[in-house]
Amino acid sequence: MDFNNLPTQETIDQTIKSLQDKGYNVIVTENGAEALEKIKTLIPQGASVMNGASITLETIGYTELLKSGNHNWNDLHANIVEENDPEKRKQLRKESVLSDYYLGSVHAVTQDGQMIIASNTGSQLPHVVFTSPNLIFVIGTQKIVPNLDEAMKRLEEYVFPLEDKHMQTLYKQGSNISKLLIFKSESPMMGRKINIILVKEKLGF
């Protein structure tokens, strides 16, 4: 299948239902600008926020919003960057996994509501798996695939080559699929809030 094509409305509707059946809060927007406005309504004033590197978040303007300081959130990443002492910066990185909100995207989402996230370092995975009580995933609907087999194909055959090239351009070294998370469901006993913003345009890889 072509992993960069937008799906039919029927496919989107099926995916929404599957995600909602898992207890997730699903929001659908027509474009990235609408997605950014939704994010602003989801994160309360004073909440601590952290995010991983994400072309999706860059594209919709979230990364620039954080850098501008034109918000009322506690930007933990900015705190890390602004700290010059190596030991204090290391400690801030550890503490950042306890952010109130973590924002990111996924590499594929299946029609039955499973998501996969690959990482080279694994730095974003603690937030996603356990530590942050609120997650916000912004996902372009071109990332919807029929099943996990196709999700893995999307990751390995489509996403990874693009990400590897992107990292070579930025840092003169490639990437790797070192760690892989299959997000099947969230246990209700954890009391975490999983927010998924499906955007009906192509975002990220």
Side-chain angles (χ1 to χ4, degrees):
M1 63 182 294
D2 188 332
F3 294 119
N4 199 38
N5 282 344
L6 292 172
T8 65
Q9 186 61 49
E10 180 181 4
T11 296
I12 294 173
D13 289 342
Q14 175 59 52
T15 306
I16 292 170
K17 182 180 184 304
S18 297
L19 293 167
Q20 289 176 332
D21 286 347
K22 292 176 179 289
Y24 307 153
N25 178 42
V26 182
I27 299 167
V28 181
T29 67
E30 294 295 323
N31 52 57
E34 288 184 13
L36 181 59
E37 292 306 309
K38 289 295 183 182
I39 289 173
K40 293 177 183 178
T41 69
L42 290 173
I43 307 176
Q45 181 175 340
S48 60
V49 296
M50 189 67 181
N51 63 273
S54 169
I55 292 177
T56 295
L57 294 183
E58 291 176 9
T59 302
I60 69 172
Y62 176 78
T63 304
E64 186 59 35
L65 174 62
L66 281 186
K67 290 180 180 179
S68 72
N70 188 26
H71 55 79
N72 294 310
W73 309 319
N74 179 12
D75 180 3
L76 299 184
H77 184 264
N79 296 343
I80 294 169
V81 172
E82 292 167 3
E83 178 55 61
N84 293 320
D85 184 280
E87 288 304 314
K88 290 182 180 179
R89 189 183 306 121
K90 184 178 179 180
Q91 183 60 33
L92 287 174
R93 287 190 183 281
K94 290 180 180 179
E95 294 173 358
S96 72
V97 302
L98 301 176
S99 62
D100 296 323
Y101 283 77
Y102 178 81
L103 293 90
S105 190
V106 304
H107 294 112
V109 55
T110 67
Q111 290 179 43
D112 65 353
Q114 301 181 76
M115 299 174 283
I116 64 168
I117 302 171
S119 177
N120 189 12
T121 65
S123 60
Q124 77 273 42
L125 298 184
H127 300 267
V128 175
V129 174
F130 184 72
T131 56
S132 291
N134 300 279
L135 303 179
I136 300 177
F137 292 126
V138 183
I139 307 171
T141 52
Q142 88 278 8
K143 297 182 179 182
I144 296 175
V145 294
N147 51 52
L148 275 179
D149 286 341
E150 290 300 310
M152 287 302 301
K153 286 182 181 179
R154 185 179 200 282
L155 170 63
E156 295 174 345
E157 299 175 10
Y158 177 75
V159 176
F160 175 69
L162 292 173
E163 176 65 17
D164 188 57
K165 182 178 179 180
H166 180 63
M167 295 300 288
Q168 288 280 5
T169 300
L170 289 179
Y171 304 112
K172 308 303 180 184
Q173 62 181 28
S175 188
N176 195 36
I177 303 175
S178 301
K179 294 153 190 178
L180 178 66
L181 170 65
I182 301 176
F183 200 120
K184 286 180 169 288
S185 63
E186 178 67 25
S187 173
M189 68 178 288
M190 297 304 298
R192 302 170 83 213
K193 185 75 170 181
I194 313 299
N195 300 280
I196 297 176
I197 302 177
L198 290 177
V199 187
K200 296 167 72 174
E201 67 176 5
K202 299 174 185 178
L203 290 174
F205 296 146

